[in-house]
């Protein structure tokens, strides 16, 4: 096959995705044909379906690299590897793998794509805006709202730079090939950051600890952290202690206490006038057997389902948050995997720097994470409380997980060893998606109505079961039982 190509069409920081799209465009071939021509020996042996593993653009493992190099007159593998290492250099020591740092689906800038350019910087999870034009990145086709796999694949693409729905991603044509030589200008602060990364690859004293899904480049570029904590002397623990039940219990206590402080503050300051509303919901109170359940207060809704989801409790009813005992002795299980991630990275850093571990650093970070997440997550529940009360509904578990991911704070920890201790900088982007505004009216802010709530009976499934114990339920009792079950089911996830 005779291939038309110019080396000048490959730009700095470009990803293989747009290189192959341009190759398809000028040669009027599709992606499967490119793979059949430039696939390695293993790929060429496959007679029918070539799986996504061989279409991967992160490592180009499915390609015959020498032949690709010869055609493009350019080492695309080396080009990609160098950019990837520039991007993940500050974190590579503790993470060691590439995949978590890059989106599985195509992320792009509409302005860049006009010229047929897609960058590794668009795929990198720490960028949510274009490093060249500063506009928000796109992750679905603007027409059909479908995602496009970051692969050499026809799955969601038709001809070059065209979605299957017909939407044209790039306005390139045969008449303006010379325009492909133009490379967009990168933001200067991002360029400086990339250059610094490569120059300090072997820097041992300072390291960034982040979660790729919950960080943002702005955190790494800003000069002022939210807080700096200096641990003046190391108080080491044995590595065996990390795997003990005692260490797990200490972690759980720190996280539980942080959650409890947020919960107590909410109940006292924000929900102080809604204690009867909360009691009504958690006791499933109503007037009598035949009456409907009263309307749910949005403040009670937000609190009850926030607590249920964050602690991953089985039921939303039947507990009493107003007893004098501890409100909760549970850790926020909903973010356990994220807390474990930061714990592991902090341990790795300390072992690498000191070959010993100071648990105070770990506990300080965990406390801040739980506190900020708990506050953000309550705001997320409060945002949807009005609709949930009106519809007597709750989100699906998948939607709750999406709420969790949006509410988890975007943070970056900058750790610096300075004998005899360690500095930890806590960089944080404030969550602007949710704010606790008094945007709902509660119909229960009347003394007589509150007294009426106190006189209502509880109709939790346990309470109803006690009513029916030892007797054969008549038809009315059966109807009551079914109505309670139906109501509870509406509010379960």
């Amino acid at each position: 096959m005779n291939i038309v190509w110019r080396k000048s069409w490959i730009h700095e920081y470009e990803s293989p995705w747009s290189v192959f799209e341009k190759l398809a465009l000028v040669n009027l071939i599709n992606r499967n044909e490119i793979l059949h021509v430039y696939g390695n020996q293993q790929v060429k042996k496959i007679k029918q379906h070539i799986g996504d593993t061989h279409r991967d653009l992160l490592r180009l493992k499915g390609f015959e690299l020498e032949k690709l190099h010869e055609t493009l007159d350019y080492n695309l593998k080396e080009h990609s590897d160098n950019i990837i290492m520039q991007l993940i250099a500050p974190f590579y020591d503790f993470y060691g793998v590439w995949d978590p740092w890059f989106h599985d689906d195509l992320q792009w800038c509409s302005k860049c794509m006009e010229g047929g350019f897609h960058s590794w910087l668009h795929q990198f999870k720490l960028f949510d805006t274009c490093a060249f034009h500063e506009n928000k990145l796109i992750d679905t086709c603007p027409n059909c709202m479908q995602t496009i796999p970051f692969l050499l694949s026809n799955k969601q693409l038709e001809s070059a730079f065209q979605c299957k729905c017909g939407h044209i991603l790039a306005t390139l044509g045969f008449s303006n090939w010379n325009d492909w030589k133009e490379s967009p200008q990168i933001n200067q602060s991002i360029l400086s950051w990339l250059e610094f990364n490569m120059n300090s690859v072997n820097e041992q004293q300072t390291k960034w600890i982040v979660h790729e899904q919950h960080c943002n480049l702005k955190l790494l570029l800003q000069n002022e952290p939210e807080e700096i904590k200096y641990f003046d002397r190391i108080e080491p623990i044995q590595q065996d202690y990390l795997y003990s039940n005692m260490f797990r219990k200490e972690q759980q206590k720190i996280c539980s206490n942080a959650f409890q402080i947020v919960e107590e503050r909410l109940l006292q300051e924000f929900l102080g006038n809604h204690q009867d509303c909360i009691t009504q919901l958690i006791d499933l109170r109503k007037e009598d057997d035949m009456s409907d359940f009263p309307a749910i207060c949005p403040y009670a809704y937000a609190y009850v389902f926030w607590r249920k989801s964050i602690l991953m409790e089985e039921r939303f009813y039947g507990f009493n948050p107003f007893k004098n005992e501890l409100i909760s002795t549970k850790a926020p299980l909903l973010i356990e995997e994220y807390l474990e991630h930061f714990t592991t990275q902090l341990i790795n850093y300390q072992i690498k720097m000191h070959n010993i571990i100071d648990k105070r650093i770990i506990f300080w970070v965990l406390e801040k994470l739980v506190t900020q997440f708990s506050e953000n997550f309550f705001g997320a529940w409060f945002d949807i409380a009005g609709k949930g009360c009106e519809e007597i509904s709750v989100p699906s578990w998948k939607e709750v997980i999406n709420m969790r991911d949006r509410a988890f704070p975007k943070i970056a920890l900058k750790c610096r060893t300075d004998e005899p201790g360690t500095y930890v900088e806590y960089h944080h982007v404030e969550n602007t998606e949710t704010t606790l505004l008094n945007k709902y009216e509660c119909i229960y802010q009347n003394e007589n109505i509150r007294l009426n709530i106190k006189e209502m009976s509880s109709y939790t499934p346990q309470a109803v079961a006690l009513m029916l114990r030892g007797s054969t339920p008549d038809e009315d009792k059966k109807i009551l039982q079914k109505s309670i079950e139906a109501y509870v089911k509406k509010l379960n996830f």
Side-chain angles (χ1 to χ4, degrees):
M1 180 186 290
N2 293 322
I3 297 292
V4 176
W5 186 256
R6 298 179 188 176
K7 178 182 176 180
S8 60
W9 290 340
I10 300 178
H11 300 315
E12 192 174 17
Y13 301 112
E14 185 159 14
S15 83
W17 185 88
S18 53
V19 172
F20 286 126
E21 288 300 293
K22 285 184 275 194
L23 190 68
L25 179 66
V26 297
N27 292 282
L28 299 176
I29 55 177
N30 67 37
R31 297 159 202 86
N32 285 339
E33 290 174 300
I34 292 174
L35 193 57
H36 281 297
V37 173
Y38 295 104
N40 58 27
Q41 291 304 310
Q42 185 180 358
V43 170
K44 287 177 177 173
K45 289 178 182 177
I46 299 171
K47 301 300 182 185
Q48 295 181 347
H49 177 70
I50 300 175
D52 290 351
T53 302
H54 303 297
R55 300 172 181 275
D56 172 58
L57 300 177
L58 190 62
R59 294 179 182 81
L60 298 171
K61 290 187 296 186
F63 297 85
E64 189 178 328
L65 297 174
E66 288 186 11
K67 187 173 183 180
L68 190 61
H69 187 172
E70 181 183 339
T71 298
L72 301 178
D73 191 23
Y74 191 85
N75 191 330
L76 189 61
K77 170 68 172 168
E78 185 180 280
H79 164 90
S80 289
D81 288 357
N82 288 341
I83 298 168
I84 290 168
M85 285 309 300
Q86 269 188 290
L87 291 168
I88 66 174
F91 327 106
Y92 188 70
D93 280 355
F94 303 134
Y95 299 84
V97 292
W98 295 358
D99 306 66
W101 295 98
F102 297 92
H103 294 285
D104 293 331
D105 294 318
L106 193 71
Q107 316 281 305
W108 71 94
C109 161
S110 57
K111 193 70 177 173
C112 288
M113 195 64 87
E114 285 177 7
F117 174 71
H118 175 264
S119 174
W120 277 112
L121 278 62
H122 297 147
Q123 285 303 116
F124 191 50
K125 287 184 179 178
L126 299 195
F127 290 81
D128 53 15
T129 57
C130 177
F132 308 93
H133 299 102
E134 299 185 5
N135 48 319
K136 189 169 178 60
L137 296 175
I138 300 168
D139 58 6
T140 57
C141 170
N143 184 52
C144 67
M145 305 306 293
Q146 295 297 310
T147 58
I148 298 171
F150 183 62
L151 300 166
L152 182 63
S153 170
N154 294 329
K155 276 186 180 176
Q156 190 55 36
L157 293 169
E158 199 62 51
S159 56
F161 295 106
Q162 184 179 4
C163 179
K164 279 198 178 292
C165 72
H167 179 75
I168 305 294
L169 301 176
T171 54
L172 287 173
F174 295 109
S175 60
N176 59 347
W177 285 3
N178 289 330
D179 293 345
W180 297 5
K181 295 178 182 179
E182 296 179 7
S183 178
Q185 295 297 308
I186 192 170
N187 177 289
Q188 192 57 45
S189 61
I190 294 174
L191 178 62
S192 300
W193 180 74
L194 290 167
E195 291 174 346
F196 176 80
N197 289 350
M198 291 310 292
N199 293 333
S200 59
V201 151
N202 296 316
E203 175 66 42
Q204 293 296 313
Q205 300 307 308
T206 301
K207 289 295 178 185
W208 285 102
I209 293 175
V210 303
H211 188 289
E212 68 280 354
Q213 190 177 341
H214 299 288
C215 185
N216 188 291
L217 188 68
K218 294 173 185 174
L219 285 168
L220 309 182
L221 296 179
Q222 69 183 22
N223 294 321
E224 294 299 322
E226 179 178 286
E227 187 176 350
I228 300 176
K229 183 79 170 179
Y230 180 61
F231 298 87
D232 55 355
R233 66 187 188 284
I234 295 172
E235 297 180 1
I237 59 174
Q238 298 296 322
Q239 289 191 36
D240 289 348
Y241 181 71
L242 294 172
Y243 307 103
S244 68
N245 287 332
M246 187 173 292
F247 180 68
R248 286 285 180 185
K249 287 179 179 178
E250 283 190 87
Q251 281 183 297
Q252 182 177 345
K253 186 177 179 181
I254 291 292
C255 296
S256 176
N257 287 346
F259 168 74
Q260 185 179 316
I261 288 169
V262 175
E263 185 177 26
E264 287 177 337
R265 187 166 64 244
L266 283 169
L267 287 170
Q268 291 171 11
E269 298 175 9
F270 189 68
L271 302 169
N273 293 329
H274 302 278
Q275 292 192 9
D276 292 316
C277 311
I278 293 169
T279 299
Q280 178 178 282
L281 179 56
I282 60 179
D283 282 352
L284 291 174
R285 294 187 178 190
K286 63 175 185 165
E287 294 281 359
D288 53 49
D289 291 6
M290 303 306 294
S291 61
D292 293 330
F293 283 103
I296 302 171
C297 161
Y299 294 82
Y301 177 100
Y303 167 72
V304 168
F305 294 111
W306 165 76
R307 188 185 192 279
K308 176 188 186 299
S309 54
I310 202 171
L311 299 179
M312 295 181 69
E313 293 183 325
E314 184 180 351
R315 297 187 293 266
F316 69 87
Y317 54 85
F319 70 94
N320 190 336
F322 304 115
K323 288 182 179 178
N324 292 327
E325 61 192 40
L326 288 176
I327 293 175
S328 174
T329 55
K330 295 182 181 179
L333 297 176
L334 190 64
I335 54 169
E336 188 173 36
E337 64 184 272
Y338 295 144
L339 300 180
E340 189 64 34
H341 171 90
F342 282 99
T343 297
T344 300
Q345 302 315 317
L346 286 165
I347 289 169
N348 290 345
Y349 172 79
Q350 292 184 74
I351 291 174
K352 190 176 181 67
M353 296 298 109
H354 306 289
N355 203 30
I356 52 177
I357 299 156
D358 187 339
K359 65 182 180 183
R360 296 175 306 164
I361 298 174
I362 298 168
F363 292 166
W364 180 73
V365 171
L366 292 181
E367 184 177 17
K368 292 188 74 65
L369 288 174
V370 171
T371 299
Q372 290 180 333
F373 169 74
S374 299
E375 292 171 350
N376 293 347
F377 195 51
F378 181 83
W381 273 105
F382 190 65
D383 275 353
I384 66 170
K387 181 181 178 183
C389 292
E390 185 179 338
E391 297 178 351
I392 313 178
S393 67
V394 289
S396 67
W397 184 246
K398 182 179 179 181
E399 290 169 320
V400 171
I401 294 301
N402 289 336
M403 288 167 63
R404 174 201 68 176
D405 291 343
R406 292 194 301 271
F408 195 83
K410 291 191 180 298
I411 72 135
L413 306 171
K414 190 175 185 181
C415 300
R416 186 172 83 252
T417 297
D418 182 20
E419 296 297 343
T422 298
Y423 284 95
V424 180
E425 294 183 8
Y426 190 89
H427 295 255
H428 171 231
V429 172
E430 196 68 36
N431 188 314
T432 57
E433 286 191 13
T434 59
T435 54
L436 292 184
L437 300 174
N438 293 318
K439 59 183 180 181
Y440 302 118
E441 285 190 17
C442 172
I443 62 173
Y444 301 110
Q445 297 304 300
N446 175 286
E447 190 61 33
N448 290 332
I449 295 177
R450 289 182 179 183
L451 288 172
N452 188 41
I453 290 173
K454 289 180 171 65
E455 293 173 359
M456 289 179 179
S457 299
S458 172
Y459 283 86
T460 62
Q462 297 95 320
V464 173
L466 283 173
M467 291 180 198
L468 303 179
R469 181 179 292 178
S471 64
T472 303
D474 58 25
E475 196 61 35
D476 286 345
K477 295 298 183 185
K478 289 179 180 178
I479 292 172
L480 170 65
Q481 197 167 24
K482 287 181 179 179
S483 70
I484 301 300
E485 291 172 357
Y487 186 80
V488 168
K489 187 176 181 180
K490 287 181 182 179
L491 295 172
N492 262 335
F493 49 81

